[in-house]
Amino acid sequence: EVDGSHIGIIRMSAPLSRANDAITDLMSTIIFAVIVVTSLSIALGSYLARRTSSSVRSITKAASDLASGDLNQRVEPTASDETEALAAAFNSMAESLRDMVNNLSGERNQLSALLDTMADGVILIRHLFYHRQGEGVLELMNPAAKELLSLNTTDNIGERFLEVVTDTNIQELVYL
């Protein structure tokens, strides 16, 4: 500008094809980035799902083995796994169950030894409410009871008391 008047105008421009090429390059980069991010997301999701389902399958198998009687069954927790708390709870439950079964087994063995060495006869009868009044099934009978009742059979457990013990005086004592 000279003394407030314009001397000339300069017009600068780029060809339209160059702008279209830049837009195409940008679109290609965006599409490539979307494909890469989508692929990585699918791969990571698949990995996490496989890892989690593997942990759940491991816990399920351990629970099945525990239910089948393997009281030493434990689950190895996977570090930073979503099922780590579940595995820890399972292991705690399995430990408690094993301790309870061992305690009950020890108590049962003590009771059995006591009953087997007693001179007094002991009979345990489970009453059957769906039969006539006073009927029951033998749950337990120690050797002294078998000898006192002159029972020759080795095991009458599970049989009806009235069929095993036919002495009416004893039957009356039991079912007063």
Side-chain angles (χ1 to χ4, degrees):
E1 212 178 286
V2 177
D3 296 334
S5 63
H6 294 285
I7 298 178
I9 297 176
I10 298 176
R11 178 178 172 256
M12 297 179 67
S13 68
L16 187 57
S17 62
R18 208 163 120 194
N20 285 339
D21 289 343
I23 291 172
T24 302
D25 288 345
L26 183 61
M27 289 298 286
S28 296
T29 302
I30 290 172
I31 289 172
F32 177 74
V34 167
I35 290 172
V36 168
V37 168
T38 302
S39 298
L40 289 175
S41 296
I42 290 171
L44 181 62
S46 177
Y47 167 75
L48 291 174
R50 244 190 339 264
R51 189 177 84 177
T52 301
S53 67
S54 172
S55 296
V56 170
R57 277 194 305 273
S58 172
I59 293 170
T60 301
K61 182 185 179 319
S64 177
D65 291 347
L66 185 68
S68 297
D70 182 2
L71 299 178
N72 294 316
Q73 191 60 238
R74 299 295 178 272
V75 175
E76 291 297 323
T78 305
S80 71
D81 187 9
E82 297 80 8
T83 58
E84 186 175 1
L86 180 60
F90 175 86
N91 289 339
S92 176
M93 177 200 65
E95 189 71 27
S96 296
L97 183 62
R98 189 189 74 198
D99 291 346
M100 272 192 284
V101 167
N102 287 341
N103 288 340
L104 287 173
S105 179
E107 289 175 12
R108 184 194 66 217
N109 291 340
Q110 286 177 343
L111 179 62
S112 179
L114 177 69
L115 288 173
D116 287 348
T117 58
M118 283 180 66
D120 296 329
V122 177
I123 297 174
L124 177 65
I125 302 168
R126 179 174 37 100
H127 288 282
L128 301 175
F129 296 107
Y130 52 88
H131 285 287
R132 292 187 311 261
Q133 176 65 29
E135 284 195 38
V137 173
L138 291 173
E139 286 284 318
L140 180 135
M141 185 183 311
N142 71 348
K146 289 181 183 179
E147 185 178 324
L148 290 170
L149 295 173
S150 302
L151 297 176
N152 297 328
T153 59
T154 57
D155 192 19
N156 299 102
I157 304 304
E159 294 181 26
R160 290 179 42 207
F161 176 77
L162 296 176
E163 292 175 358
V164 173
V165 178
T166 56
D167 185 324
T168 56
N169 292 329
I170 294 174
Q171 289 176 353
E172 287 176 9
L173 284 174
V174 171
Y175 294 116
L176 285 178

